[in-house]
């Protein structure tokens, strides 16, 4: 590791270790054996600076505060390596993505189909390579670049759904193989909303990334802003004022809360329990209004910027905010009673869309979807950041891994968030909410990694700067990590329960597709 | 008869089908709220319908990604005539931070005739309802809904 390598916000350095392509699987296996947790992977094109391609895998070890980067360099003329998926199944989509965007081949990948690029994109053109312009619009390929994987057998029916859905739902395509009403197999074709976010960011000064980063996904906007800021702040040793740290944490916790309210409302909607769905959507709307009034935007766009937060919270508003949150908390408690004591409703949730603990661990599940399958992990506690260092939240888990477990988990986590928000608002320290950049920040260099626990789980931003400009930006969101779980959780369930199961995972498409 | 033009068909009821053509999900979140208990757009005769075949109006959010362009075109073609297209949110109007990238388009107007636009990032539910209700009063003779602003 060179001396110029950066520091994380927690004051611990990134450790970069180089390996040969042939040693990669062994090094990863050894890391996993001592409890390392996989966070993200990022490919980069270094041909213009005399190299080939670079492939980083980022891990967190349980006994170290910093993050470890395992780096492999691949030759420009033959960028290939033995697929890591057999030893680390969580990377299966990362590998397919790097194959699409960089032309890096994971040899022996069990499902090397196209993942990210549009169906009509010509083969052999990899838009994140540096010699491909950001605005390239190649002519359509003759053959579609993607075909569904279906279950075979007599009487099996194929049912394609989407990308346009019946409700107001993001665009995505589902390919069901059905036997009668039972789902045998599900394949998904996401990335309908792929917008080239990462390419758009390249070449920009780090300070100009905010408008694009926060619009990666509205539902996780504060989490995206915070991850971008953390990456930049660690690169330039930017210390935040205490009030900025608290306010940023408050924004992140508000985001979790309104998302949990949204998801709590969506589950009864999936069973036809209208009263509960309506009450849940009222609570979500109240939370959005509260955010609009307190922070200037219902979805928290434009609130978090490097150095702190954009807008301070006036003292008078704090008391009012605490009162409004307290009222919401009481109402949510009543809704929880009404929903969880309704036998017909609870019956629908029980045993639906079960994700086993084993599968959750194998596929690298994150967030509520992992915790509802008895996997106790939460970056707020596992790698404390911001005010979570002083206010460690309780990590809630459920055992059953079904729709009911994911619903109960969100009720319990919302309770924890209410408690946390009240303590943060009560203890908000005085002083400025943002600090100026340290000298030389505009020429910052190196790799910064920002990560936090978004409402859906780990959200990791990998930011490589050169002379103050973004060289490579990769965003690995919780939804990207968790979409493959859905494919494991639905077989054996009735097709009519699919919307309910899907809602219980409540994954973002925009976050995943970028 | 349904071929009298929007002015005559959209007086008391407006059936809306939505297509997400690459949004950040902010516009969808606000659109979904309009039929909820707080904004309750059904009381004005407005509703979100499950099929484009039931719709008078197609709302579209996002810059129109390369992958969604075909599905958007086919959904539009499935809406019976006469039909209106309303772009929702700044991205759909071509003011998207990802506009013009290899995967994102230039906005809805680049691929479909747009009759009206609802500005905002995202537009609040009350604004969406207000704009859609303005369509229901119908444009005057010789005008499109878009020209009335
Ligand atoms: S207009 Fe704003 S809220 Fe709507 S899709 Fe675009 S970025 Fe998201």
């Amino acid at each position: 590791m060179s001396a110029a390598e950066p520091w994380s916000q927690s004051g611990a350095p990134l450790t970069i270790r180089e390996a040969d392509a042939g040693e990669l699987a062994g090094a990863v296996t050894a890391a996993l054996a001592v409890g390392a947790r996989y966070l993200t992977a990022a490919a980069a094109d270094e041909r213009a600076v005399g190299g080939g391609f670079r492939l980083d895998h980022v891990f967190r070890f349980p006994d170290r505060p910093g993050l470890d980067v395992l780096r492999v360099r691949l030759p420009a003329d033959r960028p290939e390596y033995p697929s890591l998926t057999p030893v680390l199944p969580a990377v299966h989509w990362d590998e397919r993505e790097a194959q699409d965007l960089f032309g890096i081949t994971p040899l022996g990948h069990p499902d090397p189909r196209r993942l990210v690029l549009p169906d009509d994109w010509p083969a052999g053109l990899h838009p994140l390579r540096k010699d491909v312009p950001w605005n390239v619009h190649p002519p359509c390929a003759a053959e579609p670049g993607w075909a569904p994987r279906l279950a075979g057998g007599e009487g099996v029916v194929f049912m394609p759904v989407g990308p346009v859905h019946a409700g107001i739902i993001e665009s995505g395509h589902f390919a069901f193989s059905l036997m009668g009403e039972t789902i045998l197999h599900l394949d998904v074709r996401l990335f309908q909303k792929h917008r080239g976010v990462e390419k758009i960011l390249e070449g920009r000064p780090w300070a100009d990334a905010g408008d694009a980063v926060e619009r990666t996904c509205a539902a996780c906007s504060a989490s995206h802003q915070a991850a971008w800021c953390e990456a930049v702040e660690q690169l330039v040793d930017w210390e935040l004022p205490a009030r900025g740290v608290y306010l940023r944490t408050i924004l992140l916790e508000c985001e979790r809360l309104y998302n949990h309210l949204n998801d709590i409302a969506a589950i009864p909607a999936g069973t036809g329990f209208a009263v509960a769905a309506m009450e849940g959507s009222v609570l979500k709307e109240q939370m959005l209004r509260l955010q609009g009034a307190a922070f200037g935007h219902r979805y928290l766009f434009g609130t978090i910027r490097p150095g702190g937060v954009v807008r301070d919270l006036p003292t008078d508003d704090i008391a009012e905010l605490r009162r409004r949150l307290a009222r919401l908390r009481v109402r949510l408690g009543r809704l929880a009673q009404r929903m969880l004591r309704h036998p017909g409703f609870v019956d629908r949730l029980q045993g639906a869309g079960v994700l086993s603990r084993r599968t959750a661990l194998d596929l690298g599940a994150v967030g509520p979807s992992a915790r509802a399958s008895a996997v106790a992990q939460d970056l707020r506690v596992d790698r404390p950041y911001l005010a979570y260092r002083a206010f460690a939240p309780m990590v809630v888990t459920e055992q059953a891994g079904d729709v009911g477990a994911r619903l109960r988990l969100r009720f319990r986590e919302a309770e924890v968030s209410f408690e946390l928000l009240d303590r943060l608002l009560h203890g908000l320290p005085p002083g400025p909410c943002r600090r100026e950049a340290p000298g030389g920040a505009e020429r910052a260099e190196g790799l910064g990694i920002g990560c936090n626990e978004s409402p859906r789980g780990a959200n990791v931003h990998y930011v490589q700067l050169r002379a103050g400009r973004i060289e490579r930006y990769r965003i690995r969101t919780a939804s990207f990590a968790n979409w493959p779980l859905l494919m494991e959780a639905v077989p054996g369930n009735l097709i009519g329960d699919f919307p309910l199961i899907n809602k219980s995972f409540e994954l973002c498409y925009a976050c995943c597709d970028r | 008869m349904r071929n009298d033009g929007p002015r005559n068909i959209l007086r008391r009821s407006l059936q809306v089908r939505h297509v997400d053509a690459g949004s950040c999900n902010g516009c969808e979140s606000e659109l979904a709220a309009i039929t909820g208990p707080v904004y309750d757009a059904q009381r004005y005769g407005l509703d979100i319908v499950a099929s484009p075949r039931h719709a008078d109006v197609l709302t579209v959010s996002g810059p129109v990604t390369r992958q969604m362009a075909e599905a958007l075109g086919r959904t539009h073609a499935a809406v019976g005539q006469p039909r209106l297209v309303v772009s929702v949110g700044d991205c759909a109007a071509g003011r998207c931070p990802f506009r013009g990238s290899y995967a994102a388009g230039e906005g809805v107007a680049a691929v479909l005739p747009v009759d009206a636009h609802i500005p905002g990032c995202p537009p609040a539910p009350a604004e969406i309802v207000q704009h859609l209700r303005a369509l229901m009063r119908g444009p005057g003779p010789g005008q499109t809904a878009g020209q009335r602003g």
Side-chain angles (χ1 to χ4, degrees):
Chain A
M1 194 201 129
S2 83
E5 291 298 342
W7 290 71
S8 77
Q9 256 183 343
S10 54
L14 289 179
T15 308
I16 299 182
R17 285 184 295 139
E18 303 240 0
D20 286 339
E23 301 164 0
L24 184 59
V28 168
T29 307
L32 297 175
V34 295
R37 182 176 157 199
Y38 168 66
L39 284 178
T40 190
D45 177 1
E46 296 187 314
R47 291 172 303 157
V49 288
F53 292 91
R54 185 178 95 193
L55 189 58
D56 283 353
H57 288 87
V58 182
F59 294 88
R60 186 182 61 76
F61 284 80
D63 52 341
R64 282 183 236 163
L67 301 178
D68 276 50
V69 180
L70 193 55
R71 176 164 293 175
V72 167
R73 295 186 193 275
L74 304 170
D77 54 342
R78 273 186 66 172
E80 55 186 39
Y81 67 102
S83 167
L84 265 187
T85 298
V87 295
L88 180 60
V91 300
H92 63 153
W93 277 22
D94 301 271
E95 294 194 317
R96 288 170 67 185
E97 177 174 316
Q99 177 170 265
D100 279 10
L101 300 181
F102 288 91
I104 295 175
T105 310
L107 298 168
H109 192 290
D111 179 9
R113 288 176 303 161
R114 180 171 289 187
L115 181 76
V116 175
L117 291 173
D119 289 348
D120 66 2
W121 191 268
L125 180 63
H126 307 290
L128 261 80
R129 288 189 171 193
K130 290 289 182 190
D131 50 0
V132 177
W134 70 277
N135 56 354
V136 66
H137 293 295
C140 298
E143 291 292 315
W146 182 86
R149 277 196 173 175
L150 306 172
E154 201 180 330
V156 178
V157 173
F158 167 51
M159 187 169 94
V161 177
V164 179
H165 298 285
I168 297 191
I169 303 169
E170 293 184 85
S171 295
H173 176 79
F174 301 102
F176 294 99
S177 302
L178 304 175
M179 177 65 88
E181 289 193 49
T182 304
I183 302 168
L184 294 182
H185 180 73
L186 167 66
D187 194 8
V188 298
R189 172 63 166 132
L190 298 178
F191 301 91
Q192 307 282 337
K193 299 169 53 136
H194 179 57
R195 288 151 289 162
V197 172
E198 294 171 0
K199 186 84 174 186
I200 282 278
L201 287 166
E202 288 182 7
R204 288 195 189 185
W206 57 258
D208 296 346
D211 67 329
V213 166
E214 71 197 4
R215 284 171 180 77
T216 301
C217 168
C220 315
S221 181
S223 161
H224 285 302
Q225 293 170 59
W228 156 57
C229 291
E230 187 196 343
V232 169
E233 286 154 0
Q234 57 178 243
L235 272 171
V236 301
D237 251 327
W238 198 336
E239 262 194 46
L240 306 189
R243 192 176 179 85
V245 168
Y246 273 59
L247 284 170
R248 199 181 273 185
T249 317
I250 288 167
L251 285 159
L252 291 170
E253 231 29 62
C254 280
E255 181 166 86
R256 183 176 337 279
L257 195 49
Y258 96 76
N259 272 282
H260 277 23
L261 295 176
N262 175 77
D263 304 350
I264 285 168
I267 290 173
T271 66
F273 186 4
V275 180
M278 292 289 151
E279 173 70 0
S281 66
V282 170
L283 298 185
K284 176 194 174 192
E285 175 64 19
Q286 290 192 344
M287 195 63 202
L288 290 175
R289 286 184 179 183
L290 178 153
Q291 291 176 172
F295 308 115
H297 194 280
R298 283 159 61 88
Y299 296 90
L300 308 175
F301 291 5
T303 54
I304 299 174
R305 286 296 181 268
V309 299
V310 173
R311 203 164 120 157
D312 203 355
L313 209 51
T315 314
D316 292 349
D317 290 9
I318 293 169
E320 173 60 13
L321 206 55
R322 289 179 70 195
R323 271 195 297 276
R324 286 173 74 174
L325 285 166
R327 281 200 297 271
L328 265 175
R329 186 177 183 172
V330 170
R331 238 175 122 167
L332 184 70
R334 270 195 235 120
L335 179 62
Q337 298 275 316
R338 215 180 303 163
M339 280 165 70
L340 299 177
R341 289 189 183 165
H342 187 306
F345 173 64
V346 170
D347 185 57
R348 281 292 307 281
L349 314 182
Q350 213 164 15
V354 175
L355 176 71
S356 72
R357 180 166 196 272
R358 185 74 260 153
T359 308
L361 285 170
D362 283 351
L363 290 184
V366 297
S369 303
R371 294 192 288 273
S373 292
V375 178
Q377 53 169 249
D378 187 327
L379 284 174
R380 292 177 295 173
V381 174
D382 302 341
R383 180 180 173 270
Y385 52 96
L386 298 172
Y388 299 119
R389 278 184 214 152
F391 296 86
M394 185 179 82
V395 178
V396 178
T397 55
E398 288 280 339
Q399 304 301 311
D402 59 3
V403 175
R406 288 186 284 276
L407 175 66
R408 288 191 301 274
L409 183 95
R410 288 196 177 92
F411 273 123
R412 294 172 61 198
E413 290 196 351
E415 224 354 80
V416 173
S417 291
F418 275 122
E419 182 64 34
L420 202 53
L421 276 169
D422 196 62
R423 289 168 63 198
L424 288 164
L425 285 163
H426 177 68
L428 193 59
C433 65
R434 196 172 174 189
R435 189 167 287 160
E436 288 298 310
E442 66 286 348
R443 293 180 307 281
E445 291 260 346
L447 174 62
I449 295 175
C451 57
N452 58 54
E453 186 77 15
S454 80
R456 290 166 183 77
N459 179 13
V460 188
H461 286 220
Y462 171 108
V463 186
Q464 176 84 41
L465 300 181
R466 181 189 301 273
R469 289 183 184 268
I470 293 166
E471 178 88 355
R472 170 78 175 113
Y473 203 122
R474 177 152 198 257
I475 302 172
R476 190 181 198 269
T477 65
S479 293
F480 183 92
N482 281 351
W483 267 108
L485 309 176
L486 184 69
M487 290 184 266
E488 298 297 323
V490 298
N493 288 265
L494 298 178
I495 183 71
D497 274 346
F498 176 73
L500 176 65
I501 298 167
N502 193 11
K503 284 288 161 197
S504 75
F505 284 97
E506 192 58 24
L507 304 169
C508 305
Y509 300 65
C511 249
C512 172
D513 297 356
R514 291 155 289 139
Chain B
M1 291 296 289
R2 298 199 98 214
N3 55 1
D4 301 345
R7 180 180 164 73
N8 286 330
I9 62 162
L10 302 180
R11 277 185 302 198
R12 296 279 177 86
S13 136
L14 192 70
Q15 309 293 308
V16 179
R17 175 87 285 267
H18 178 68
V19 175
D20 160 14
S23 81
C24 75
N25 203 19
C27 284
E28 276 63 34
S29 181
E30 299 297 54
L31 261 166
I34 73 168
T35 54
V38 180
Y39 298 97
D40 191 18
Q42 284 107 330
R43 70 193 145 136
Y44 304 120
L46 270 172
D47 207 358
I48 311 284
V49 291
S51 165
R53 308 298 282 163
H54 301 168
D56 309 305
V57 175
L58 189 69
T59 56
V60 189
S61 62
V64 187
T65 55
R66 179 170 172 133
Q67 173 75 0
M68 277 304 294
E70 186 189 340
L72 172 62
R74 284 165 68 172
T75 307
H76 177 250
V79 180
Q81 300 265 21
R83 59 188 168 218
L84 296 176
V85 175
V86 177
S87 54
V88 179
D90 292 350
C91 285
R95 288 186 299 278
C96 173
F98 316 113
R99 176 185 176 150
S101 86
Y102 67 87
E106 307 278 331
V108 182
V111 293
L112 291 179
V114 174
D115 298 287
H117 173 62
I118 307 180
C121 181
E127 291 162 4
I128 299 175
V129 172
Q130 196 188 343
H131 276 84
L132 292 175
R133 288 189 71 199
L135 283 178
M136 283 166 71
R137 292 195 287 276
Q143 279 185 315
T144 69
Q147 282 167 329
R148 291 182 319 109

